[in-house]
Amino acid sequence: MTRCDRGRTCWLLAAATLLAGAVACTDRAGPTAPPDTRADVLAAAQPNKPKGPTPKIKSLSLGTTTLAIGGASFTYTPTIQNANTVWTGIWVKAEVVQGSNSATVGGTYILCPNTAIGTLPAGGCTFSASAAVPASTSLVPGSATFVLTLYQVVNDVLTQLDAKSLPVTLVAGPPSITSLSVSPATLVIDGASGTWSATMQNPGSPLSGILAQGYVVQGTDTVPTGGATLQCPSAADGTLPTGSCSTSGSVGVSSSAIGGSQLVAGSADFLLVLFQTSNNVTTVVATKTYPVTLASGTPTITSVVFDPSVPRRSDDSTVILLIDPNTSNGYTVTVNNPGLQQTGIGIQAEIHQGTAVRGAGGSDIICENLDPVPAGGTLPTGTCVMQFNTTATNTAGGSGDLTEGYADWVLYLQDANGNIASITIRVYLALQQT
């Protein structure tokens, strides 16, 4: 059993012991603060330090000595030399140093074969881990030094044990989109446009002919959401300069776009792609996704409320409609339109009773709650409230005869192509006033 002082280090080592049998060499999150070199702190940590020679980095090799800034990861393989005493809390930090600039490129508790994470057995071991030079760094292409530092972590205090370095060459990596966000994160199909904001990083020379193209990806469906020539501050249109560029653009989800008719309300991803066109050849420069939620842009009837003057049955409060062409029954309908403004919108009521279907009044929609009131048939984005009347009569268009008894009163919201929403209310038809 490994014994240690209570604290986060002990917790990490205990948890690591459970994982050691199932994990090969892998990066592990570790301390990021510089070693605390205060004499009193180090003195307090010394009782936990095993007796004997300090572990050393005997050898160090890299999978490649040409490292791309913002490029692919690479492996480093150190051999740690140790005497006959087991050490715990052993952590390595990987850095690339170039003059006065440096960047942390990796760090991990060591993982020696058949031992707990962070444990260095007697005799030492060889292991491998991965690292990568970040895109957002002060490093530039040219000569540099890869430095691996060996630490022991005790009670969150880092004590440096050894370090080893190798010469490397930094090269410009590919451009990348380092951050991406969409606001709002819920996009309405056929609704108002949102905004994407992104930061691009280009370690190499400026690139021209750059287009930023957005897509909404849902399942196997990829729908374009608009593209534009890249606009970076202090750079010509379509140019991705060396270094960082933060910019934004619009994102709208249209059901009429290619593949857009397949989109449904639910989770999706916004995909931003940077294309470069040169000599009539278009290539992908960088991509990044951001999770979004799609909401339906189809208008709905959210409520229908009959006027208080319309009679109700005493036993179940069902609205009573008199089968009489001269009797009007007032009601208020509320429609919600989450999408863009639409025209040519109307309402149509019908009464369904068995096989009988009769019209019960209809009109172009008129949003009386808005000021100024839009033209008839215009449904703006948002909430529309309209008051209207309905009748129950066998002289209206339709077929079959309405008789006394229960029936369904159905209100449809319609456009030029037909019904787009409906609501059904159970009513009672009466032959005479009750």
Side-chain angles (χ1 to χ4, degrees):
M1 176 182 294
T2 301
R3 297 183 180 275
C4 57
D5 292 345
R6 294 186 64 181
R8 188 169 61 186
T9 301
C10 180
W11 179 85
L12 284 171
L13 295 176
T17 303
L18 298 176
L19 296 174
V23 182
C25 293
T26 182
D27 287 350
R28 296 287 172 177
T32 57
D36 193 334
T37 57
R38 291 177 296 165
D40 57 334
V41 175
L42 292 179
Q46 294 309 305
N48 299 282
K49 179 179 177 181
K51 304 298 183 180
T54 301
K56 301 292 183 183
I57 303 175
K58 181 180 179 181
S59 64
L60 174 65
S61 63
L62 299 176
T64 176
T65 57
T66 300
L67 312 181
I69 301 172
S73 61
F74 59 93
T75 60
Y76 59 93
T77 304
T79 296
I80 311 298
Q81 186 180 41
N82 186 25
N84 296 323
T85 303
V86 175
W87 288 65
T88 58
I90 303 302
W91 183 68
V92 293
K93 179 180 180 180
E95 296 176 284
V96 170
V97 178
Q98 189 179 56
S100 61
N101 298 320
S102 65
T104 299
V105 298
T108 179
Y109 281 101
I110 67 170
L111 183 55
C112 296
N114 303 315
T115 63
I117 295 173
T119 300
L120 181 64
C125 79
T126 299
F127 70 97
S128 294
S130 63
V133 182
S136 53
T137 175
S138 57
L139 303 177
V140 296
S143 299
T145 303
F146 176 86
V147 180
L148 187 69
T149 306
L150 184 68
Y151 294 101
Q152 184 185 35
V153 184
V154 178
N155 296 331
D156 291 332
V157 176
L158 287 78
T159 301
Q160 182 173 328
L161 304 177
D162 196 20
K164 200 171 189 65
S165 61
L166 290 174
V168 293
T169 300
L170 297 180
V171 296
S176 61
I177 303 172
T178 55
S179 67
L180 176 65
S181 62
V182 177
S183 180
T186 297
L187 302 174
V188 177
I189 301 173
D190 296 324
S193 296
T195 301
W196 60 260
S197 299
T199 298
M200 295 85 170
Q201 189 74 27
N202 179 21
S205 302
L207 299 177
S208 59
I210 303 297
L211 171 72
Q213 174 67 54
Y215 300 89
V216 166
V217 181
Q218 189 176 59
T220 59
D221 200 18
T222 301
V223 180
T225 62
T229 299
L230 183 65
Q231 303 287 330
C232 287
S234 303
D237 291 352
T239 298
L240 179 62
T242 299
S244 180
C245 164
S246 294
T247 187
S248 61
S250 63
V251 49
V253 184
S254 173
S255 61
S256 61
I258 298 174
S261 61
Q262 304 301 315
L263 296 175
V264 296
S267 59
D269 285 311
F270 173 73
L271 168 65
L272 182 64
V273 181
L274 297 185
F275 291 103
Q276 182 183 34
T277 300
S278 178
N279 297 324
N280 295 321
V281 176
T282 299
T283 57
V284 175
V285 172
T287 67
K288 196 172 185 65
T289 60
Y290 185 85
V292 295
T293 300
L294 301 185
S296 174
T298 303
T300 58
I301 301 174
T302 57
S303 71
V304 168
V305 178
F306 281 91
D307 293 349
S309 60
V310 178
R312 269 79 169 171
R313 286 176 61 86
S314 59
D315 54 347
D316 59 8
S317 299
T318 302
V319 167
I320 299 174
L321 302 183
L322 189 64
I323 305 176
D324 178 4
N326 298 315
T327 300
S328 294
N329 305 276
Y331 66 90
T332 301
V333 56
T334 301
V335 175
N336 179 55
N337 178 25
L340 300 177
Q341 176 174 292
Q342 299 186 36
T343 58
I345 305 298
I347 56 172
Q348 176 63 55
E350 291 181 348
I351 296 177
H352 296 234
Q353 188 183 54
T355 59
V357 178
R358 291 289 179 176
S363 167
D364 286 342
I365 199 162
I366 301 176
C367 300
E368 300 168 344
N369 61 308
L370 301 180
D371 186 16
V373 176
T378 299
L379 180 61
T381 301
T383 300
C384 172
V385 180
M386 172 181 176
Q387 294 179 322
F388 200 58
N389 296 311
T390 186
T391 58
T393 174
N394 286 316
T395 61
S399 61
D401 289 332
L402 303 177
T403 61
E404 182 157 344
Y406 287 97
D408 287 330
W409 182 87
V410 184
L411 183 67
Y412 296 98
L413 187 68
Q414 301 175 327
D415 62 12
N417 297 316
N419 300 328
I420 55 178
S422 67
I423 191 170
T424 300
I425 297 176
R426 193 71 166 165
V427 298
Y428 188 86
L429 304 182
L431 293 176
Q432 58 183 4
Q433 194 71 46
T434 57

